[in-house]
Amino acid sequence: MKINMIKAIMLVLIISVTSGCSGNKKFVYNQDAMQKTKTVAVLIYAAPPTIEYRSDPTKVEEDSFLQSLVKAATANNGGQAATLAQASFIQTINDNKFVFKVLTREDMFTNAAYQKVASKYYNLTQVVEEEPEQSALEIAGDIFGFGKKEVPTSLPGVGAEGQPAYGLALDWSTAPSALIGTPEETAYIKESIQALGVDAALIINDWGYAFSCDACMGGTGTGSSSTAFLASLVNANGDVIMNMREWFVTTPTTAPMVGYIINPFQHESLFKGHGTRMATVFMDYYKESTAK
């Protein structure tokens, strides 16, 4: 009885989130270009550096003291999350005999030409630039709020193992595509498509990748994962031929959650389940939108 009541409460909450965010979904595509797309490679799978609990995957929340503790328990797991989700995403797409075939990670990394391209651009994204020293005037400007401030063009993000990532969109709800738009990103995509001999690249910007409560109270119960993501297909000319903005709040894969924390030894199954769920949502929305 207690579990059923908790699930009923969670269902109401999920419906509330759904009604508030459904307008942010988006799908646009070039029909002629898509019909020519038979083989695809997932060249970028960008995720937050740390996968942590979020009450709403469509928003970046300011850290409370509790959230800071939760984040500390899962710090820097984004690379593992991206790698496992990418692999299960690809497998699920191919298992369902989708409209295009997706190269597996093994397909990509046994290709010597792609290995060379990926290594070059991956190494470039691993360079950490030291922050320049601020002058007294700049420090005063930060404190008192005057002077020119540099506006960030993206949020921090990490990629799947061996592949570069160029950050996450500043705002999921308004971002035009999954691309960050840097020259290096464009060059990596075009060179990789040529090296792999595919028709297009799929870029996934897993902006809201987070742990979620499937059925819990006070952060204790059954945990899962959620996200608000962007996906774009780019052809060999560097032209974007499809953009998708979608989200989900839970997956069929779950694990016990205590105080908003999931045991790190159970992260792997959740990360794999996350990719499977994303593939299902991606395929369903793609088919629904192209059938109109």
Side-chain angles (χ1 to χ4, degrees):
M1 180 68 74
K2 185 177 180 182
I3 295 297
N4 289 337
M5 183 176 293
I6 291 172
K7 288 194 172 183
I9 293 170
M10 290 307 300
L11 179 59
V12 171
L13 292 175
I14 288 170
I15 291 171
S16 298
V17 173
T18 302
S19 61
C21 300
S22 58
N24 287 326
K25 292 172 59 172
K26 182 183 83 169
F27 184 90
V28 293
Y29 76 115
N30 180 318
Q31 185 174 12
D32 291 338
M34 286 299 305
Q35 287 177 343
K36 299 173 184 175
T37 303
K38 304 301 180 185
T39 55
V40 168
V42 183
L43 295 181
I44 298 175
Y45 192 116
T50 293
I51 309 302
E52 57 188 309
Y53 170 79
R54 284 194 200 177
S55 60
D56 183 348
T58 67
K59 297 177 181 177
V60 176
E61 302 168 345
E62 290 188 13
D63 284 351
S64 64
F65 176 69
L66 175 60
Q67 287 171 318
S68 296
L69 293 177
V70 172
K71 181 181 286 188
T74 61
N76 302 319
N77 59 355
Q80 180 196 28
T83 304
L84 294 175
Q86 180 198 43
S88 59
F89 175 91
I90 294 169
Q91 181 178 340
T92 304
I93 293 287
N94 289 335
D95 286 349
N96 282 271
K97 302 189 186 308
F98 192 52
V99 296
F100 50 71
K101 183 180 185 299
V102 185
L103 268 59
T104 66
R105 283 183 56 83
E106 183 180 5
D107 291 334
M108 291 188 286
F109 286 99
T110 53
N111 180 305
Y114 173 70
Q115 275 187 328
K116 186 175 180 180
V117 173
S119 178
K120 176 177 71 172
Y121 287 99
Y122 176 79
N123 289 335
L124 288 174
T125 59
Q126 301 310 298
V127 176
V128 178
E129 296 183 2
E130 294 185 5
E131 292 188 11
E133 291 187 10
Q134 288 184 297
S135 67
L137 183 61
E138 289 171 328
I139 294 172
D142 288 342
I143 296 172
F144 297 107
F146 63 81
K148 184 179 179 181
K149 295 185 182 296
E150 187 175 341
V151 179
T153 56
S154 65
L155 297 174
V158 295
E161 183 179 355
Q163 293 182 311
Y166 297 90
L168 299 172
L170 276 178
D171 185 344
W172 165 81
S173 66
T174 59
S177 76
L179 301 172
I180 299 302
T182 66
E184 293 81 10
E185 180 186 52
T186 302
Y188 163 66
I189 292 170
K190 293 175 73 171
E191 290 177 33
S192 296
I193 289 175
Q194 183 176 10
L196 292 166
V198 292
D199 299 316
L202 180 58
I203 310 304
I204 298 177
N205 195 308
D206 205 346
W207 187 90
Y209 200 161
F211 292 126
S212 64
C213 280
D214 181 34
C216 57
M217 294 188 71
T220 298
T222 304
S224 186
S225 69
S226 61
T227 194
F229 70 90
L230 301 159
S232 297
L233 271 169
V234 183
N235 66 14
N237 296 322
D239 299 324
V240 177
I241 59 175
M242 185 218 76
N243 279 318
M244 178 186 293
R245 182 191 298 132
E246 251 284 22
W247 59 279
F248 56 85
V249 295
T250 189
T251 81
T253 308
T254 61
M257 175 180 277
V258 179
Y260 299 103
I261 296 175
I262 294 172
N263 188 324
F265 289 107
Q266 294 177 295
H267 287 184
E268 182 175 329
S269 64
L270 290 183
F271 294 156
K272 290 178 179 178
H274 184 89
T276 299
R277 174 64 173 154
M278 179 177 283
T280 302
V281 170
F282 176 91
M283 290 187 292
D284 287 347
Y285 194 27
Y286 181 98
K287 292 174 182 176
E288 170 194 331
S289 300
T290 56
K292 293 177 181 178

